[in-house]
Amino acid sequence: MEYRQLGASGLKVPALSFGAGTFGGQGPLFGAWGNTDAEEARRLVDICLEAGITMFDTADVYSAGASEEVLGAAIKGRRDQVLVSTKAGLPMGDGPGDAGTSRSRLIKATEDALRRLGTDYIDLFQLHAFDAATPVEEVLSTLDQLVRAGKIRYTGVSNFAGWQLMKSLAAADRQGYPRHVAHQVYYSLVGRDYEWELMPLGLDQGVGAMVWSPLGWGRLTGKLRRGTPIPADSRLHQTADYGPPVADEDLFRVVDALDEVAEETGKTIPQVAINWLLRRPTVATVIVGARNEAQLRQNIGAVGWELTPEQVAKLDAASGKPAPYPYFPYERQEGFARLSAPLFPYPTTPAS
């Protein structure tokens, strides 16, 4: 397994991480994802560690805390072999203090996570959403307090807009608080919006990407095909409305290209889709999930080999879209391309 620096930090993370969203299995969304119990989770952790996957990502909102509890049971007795990443900020109840990232909420969320995980520190603690009602200085000073207390090692964010992340980084620099080193983002061959603003920000500011849903919310499994209904066993029947939308023609154009590359490489469509992501700027780790051992072993097969430049170009062309404003007036101008090269080292291929 390849290990990479997480942003501008000293923390080294595996190129693949394991997402524990399938652990616990409670509620309409997470219940559809999976219901892995502690015994099954321990076996999946065994396989991960054998392959060099040492980072495990969860959140308090996953199955109302059950994911953290199951993960904690699965890593019991080998805490020093793993990196634990969790998140807080989304609603955990209907009360006024059950959501957001105020000082009281963050302290309680951290203590609750430590208890559920059965540990006394969290390697990476991420803000699961931007809280516009709480001053960023309050958020950062609380995280600084938790870092100084040894309860958190590094901090990051998830699903922030560019201005929200930059505002937080600027305040951290101004006040001398720890900077966020990670941004957990949605990024896939059918969802490349991350590239336009957040990727250049990550390059400029030293914020590493942790990619969630690398298979486009379960659409890049190879099971979805033109002219055929969604398979009966697909979780998209229950979860499609929760995730980012994808137009059918965009999806099938990408699947066609993935089919060609998969045949050329002898790999599966999911393996090709994940391998493409691992080549992208700022990507520190791609979070893969699995409901069973077979799915996990297939995802592990995404590393240890490389796509050719021609195969990458084919996937880029199939998945590329015209640049959104304010980028589209300039993307084809030679002078702009030259000036922006340090921050835009990826192709801006329009859709064919």
Side-chain angles (χ1 to χ4, degrees):
M1 181 64 60
E2 176 191 358
Y3 292 84
R4 304 175 174 188
Q5 300 293 135
L6 182 58
S9 80
L11 183 61
K12 292 184 178 181
V13 298
L16 296 182
S17 297
F18 184 87
T22 57
F23 289 4
Q26 297 182 19
L29 174 58
F30 299 106
W33 278 9
N35 58 355
T36 304
D37 61 20
E39 182 179 353
E40 294 170 314
R42 191 167 184 87
R43 175 57 182 156
L44 294 177
V45 171
D46 288 341
I47 296 169
C48 285
L49 293 180
E50 290 169 4
I53 298 176
T54 55
M55 191 170 196
F56 298 86
D57 180 75
T58 183
D60 58 0
V61 75
Y62 293 173
S63 293
S67 173
E68 290 180 328
E69 291 176 348
V70 172
L71 177 59
I75 64 173
K76 187 176 182 180
R78 45 187 172 176
R79 177 65 180 91
D80 60 346
Q81 300 177 43
V82 304
L83 298 172
V84 173
S85 164
T86 193
K87 302 176 288 292
L90 293 178
M92 287 289 286
D94 298 327
D98 291 336
T101 55
S102 66
R103 176 172 286 111
S104 58
R105 168 81 169 109
L106 282 178
I107 292 174
K108 183 178 187 302
T110 301
E111 296 293 349
D112 288 346
L114 291 171
R115 172 179 48 79
R116 288 191 290 258
L117 288 163
T119 185
D120 56 3
Y121 70 95
I122 295 165
D123 297 283
L124 176 66
F125 185 89
Q126 298 161 93
L127 308 176
H128 213 162
F130 182 75
D131 181 358
T134 301
V136 294
E137 290 81 5
E138 178 179 333
V139 176
L140 293 168
S141 67
T142 306
L143 293 175
D144 178 57
Q145 173 186 339
L146 292 167
V147 170
R148 292 176 182 274
K151 297 179 179 181
I152 292 173
R153 299 285 171 85
Y154 293 92
T155 70
V157 300
S158 181
N159 304 323
F160 272 38
W163 72 266
Q164 295 166 345
L165 177 53
M166 193 64 239
K167 182 175 183 178
S168 300
L169 294 171
D173 289 343
R174 187 168 59 248
Q175 301 293 339
Y177 296 137
R179 297 178 108 247
H180 299 310
V181 300
H183 192 181
Q184 191 166 143
V185 298
Y186 170 62
Y187 188 21
S188 76
L189 275 165
V190 290
R192 294 178 61 179
D193 293 341
Y194 167 73
E195 295 176 353
W196 295 111
E197 182 167 302
L198 295 172
M199 180 184 282
L201 191 160
L203 283 166
D204 183 64
Q205 294 294 312
V207 180
M210 298 177 60
V211 176
W212 62 265
S213 203
L215 300 183
W217 204 250
R219 293 180 174 90
L220 300 180
T221 61
K223 297 179 180 180
L224 301 188
R225 301 289 175 171
R226 276 191 181 86
T228 61
I230 297 175
D233 61 349
S234 173
R235 67 187 183 191
L236 284 170
H237 291 289
Q238 292 81 37
T239 64
D241 290 342
Y242 290 96
V246 179
D248 284 348
E249 184 50 40
D250 292 341
L251 170 62
F252 296 131
R253 185 173 60 249
V254 170
V255 170
D256 287 344
L258 283 168
D259 264 334
E260 294 178 17
V261 175
E263 184 175 355
E264 293 169 0
T265 58
K267 303 296 182 180
T268 67
I269 282 180
Q271 288 168 346
V272 173
I274 293 170
N275 191 279
W276 179 87
L277 281 167
L278 290 169
R279 301 172 58 97
R280 311 306 286 174
T282 74
V283 172
T285 187
V286 173
I287 302 170
V288 297
R291 285 182 285 182
N292 53 54
E293 181 176 335
Q295 287 182 346
L296 177 55
R297 291 194 184 280
Q298 178 179 209
N299 288 334
I300 292 172
V303 300
W305 56 279
E306 291 189 4
L307 296 164
T308 66
E310 293 75 19
Q311 291 164 344
V312 172
K314 183 180 296 185
L315 296 171
D316 287 347
S319 60
K321 290 186 176 183
Y325 178 83
Y327 306 104
F328 77 82
Y330 312 113
E331 67 167 329
R332 295 179 183 85
Q333 294 184 17
E334 183 178 349
F336 177 78
R338 173 172 47 80
L339 290 171
S340 63
L343 296 184
F344 291 80
Y346 52 90
T348 55
T349 308
S352 57

